[in-house]
Amino acid sequence: MVISDLSNLKNKEEVKDLRGWVDTIRHHGGLMFFELRDHETNVQIVTDKPNQFDNLKNEFYVSVTGTLVNRKKENVNKEVLFGDLEIELSNLEVISESKTLPFQIEDNIETDEQIRLKHRYLDIRRKEMNNNIIARSNTFKSLREAMNKLDIIELDTPTLIKSTPEGAKDFIVPSRKSPGSFYALPQSPQMYKQLFMISGLKNYYQIAKCYRDEDSRKDRQPEFTQLDIEISNGDPEIVQKIIEFTMKHVLKNVYSIEVKTPFTKITYDEAMTMYGTDKPDLRIKETITDFTHIFLDTEISFIKETINNNGKVRGFVINKLLSRSEIDSLDEHLKNEGSPGLGWFKIENKKVSGPLAKILNEKEHKQIVKNNNCTMLFQSGNQDETSHYLDTLRRNIYNIPNENTYEFVWIDDFPYFEIENGELQPSHHPFTSPKDTSEFLSNPNDAKALHYDLVLNGIELGSGSQRINDPKLQKDVLSKWGLSESEINDRFGWFIEALSYGSPQHAGFAVGIDRFIAEMMNADSIRDVIPFPKTQSGLDPLTNAPSYLSTLELKEYNISIESIKNEE
């Protein structure tokens, strides 16, 4: 019997073998009360013989038999489902005892995350964590319902594959049968899902496990889950309509949220100009203002240098006179992000103040005081350099009007290549089709890609693109990326061979399911919506993975390890 079955019983009816965990034991006036908690809800148990249950502790798993009674009106708890009922205990059987708990099974606990992860099976007993995991299950179910409605077929791809560069480091797996050789775990099913299209299948989807050995962030895990799709004869518009239908279906059926489609769509250049980021939060309606025209004849040296170098002066006008402490706080925040500092003017009763106010010429002053009783905040420099600081500023100075709104936006027309850690990298991956092939071949550094991202409330949910289906163009892209002919043949020869047999045009997308659920459940980190996650440093406190293997075990895989010394 489970607690929800109590709704089928009447007052004074017998309850038999009701099972659950003991929660919040308390004594009052010669009575003992405890909450019995099962997988779904709670009910109060009461006995007038507390001495018989002296050994009962929190989290004992028990079977309860007794009589269901209505609580007195003044004792009804309207906050819980069965707050108007309680069970008068006649018999209790302890099915399993519990050790002393490392933390309490309750919400909003202030317990070190390492301890929570070490005892994750207890952490998931807490209601907020349990809700997250159930939401995850329901999201998977709803995604499959949407795919079935769209007649997209579910297929699976290998998880032991050839190592190929996709932007992050691979996790490698030694082959015992092929000494000195290694598999890699997939960073994505990218090339295999393209092979399905070459194979003559009309479409594909998979709820896929992916693995990336990259630097830790709160929205990253070495092992993560994504909804992966690929559509034969697809293009960006077709794929985006599929994703919009899927998001709308899941939001309505799992989270009871209605969203309008089609989603807003802006280009990468527009996003960087208006918001300073390719992941804008559109719940904040204010955008970046270009002030460059005000300072064309300026004597302010650093602004003059910026304009002479084709840079811009951009920022915001806030309809509020910020205090000096508020300005200093923003200045410090930007400096921590790498900015040389915050530029600002305060305009009060048509008078301008600030460290640069005395250097303003008459024309600049006249332009600035058009905005009165406000604060002007700005950054001066190359747009690529200042955009990040302006994004940070925007998110710090403006409030989100309504936290319970969901603003989706498509970002497209990305540059094909970007500089990452001093190296040229595809902004998506090297299988993305250029928007204009001739432009790409003549000037790849300035070329655009048929690449599109989906952003929700400032969180990048996923990326997609139209793929290259021409083997010659695929080789050209890999060559422009910097791979030699031998590297291309060694790493991608098998894939380019497959493209050489009449490959249809195709396009796809991948949604980061962990990020999506974390945003919908308002979780602090994606770790809070993954049943058994790793820490930010990639460790598993529950099993102590990764762990060392013995010399004998390593020998079986023909591996030897040089001594590891900690550098001082």
Side-chain angles (χ1 to χ4, degrees), residues 218-233:
K218 74 173 186 176
D219 63 344
R220 298 274 177 94
Q221 279 278 292
E223 178 181 1
F224 58 95
T225 309
Q226 65 185 36
L227 171 68
D228 209 58
I229 72 166
E230 198 74 16
I231 307 298
S232 185
N233 297 315

Side-chain angles (χ1 to χ4, degrees), residues 240 243 263-266 268 278-280 408-414 418 427-428 450-456 459-465 508-510 515:
Q240 288 169 9
I243 295 299
F263 298 154
T264 302
K265 186 183 294 186
I266 60 176
Y268 171 85
D278 58 4
K279 297 178 276 292
F408 287 92
V409 57
W410 289 108
I411 313 294
D412 61 12
D413 277 2
F414 278 80
E418 61 185 5
S427 61
H428 188 37
L450 287 174
H451 160 199
Y452 36 90
D453 282 0
L454 181 61
V455 176
L456 169 62
I459 305 295
E460 180 192 322
L461 288 187
S463 295
S465 66
F509 198 79
R515 287 186 194 176

Side-chain angles (χ1 to χ4, degrees), residues 178-336:
S178 300
S181 296
F182 296 83
Y183 300 104
L185 299 180
Q187 295 187 37
S188 77
Q190 183 60 46
M191 287 184 282
Y192 285 100
K193 66 179 181 178
Q194 290 189 242
L195 290 177
F196 281 137
M197 303 303 98
I198 297 169
S199 301
L201 297 167
K202 65 177 182 178
N203 53 40
Y204 141 98
Y205 90 90
Q206 179 181 190
I207 295 178
K209 283 288 186 186
C210 303
Y211 309 85
R212 293 182 184 176
D213 191 1
E214 59 187 347
D215 293 337
S216 299
R217 289 181 358 204
K218 74 173 186 176
D219 63 344
R220 298 274 177 94
Q221 279 278 292
E223 178 181 1
F224 58 95
T225 309
Q226 65 185 36
L227 171 68
D228 209 58
I229 72 166
E230 198 74 16
I231 307 298
S232 185
N233 297 315
D235 59 25
E237 184 177 352
I238 289 170
V239 172
Q240 288 169 9
K241 284 181 179 178
I242 289 170
I243 295 299
E244 288 176 355
F245 173 87
T246 303
M247 290 292 99
K248 188 169 185 174
H249 177 85
V250 173
L251 285 169
K252 181 179 180 180
N253 289 278
V254 179
Y255 301 98
S256 301
I257 292 168
E258 296 277 0
V259 292
K260 294 181 180 179
T261 55
F263 298 154
T264 302
K265 186 183 294 186
I266 60 176
T267 66
Y268 171 85
D269 289 340
E270 288 170 336
M272 299 304 290
T273 299
M274 293 191 295
Y275 306 105
T277 177
D278 58 4
K279 297 178 276 292
D281 188 340
L282 297 195
R283 292 175 299 176
I284 302 171
K285 301 305 178 184
E286 292 82 359
T287 58
I288 296 168
T289 299
D290 190 338
F291 301 127
T292 308
H293 65 282
I294 296 174
F295 300 100
L296 292 178
D297 299 316
T298 191
E299 292 302 318
I300 302 172
S301 58
F302 72 92
I303 295 180
K304 189 173 186 177
E305 183 180 356
T306 289
I307 294 174
N308 288 340
N309 290 320
N310 297 317
K312 293 181 180 294
V313 181
R314 299 187 300 152
F316 306 93
V317 175
I318 311 172
N319 294 319
K320 174 185 176 183
L321 291 168
L322 295 181
S323 68
R324 187 56 191 263
S325 63
E326 289 175 316
I327 291 172
D328 288 346
S329 177
L330 291 170
D331 180 59
E332 182 180 1
H333 194 70
L334 288 187
K335 284 179 177 176
N336 289 337

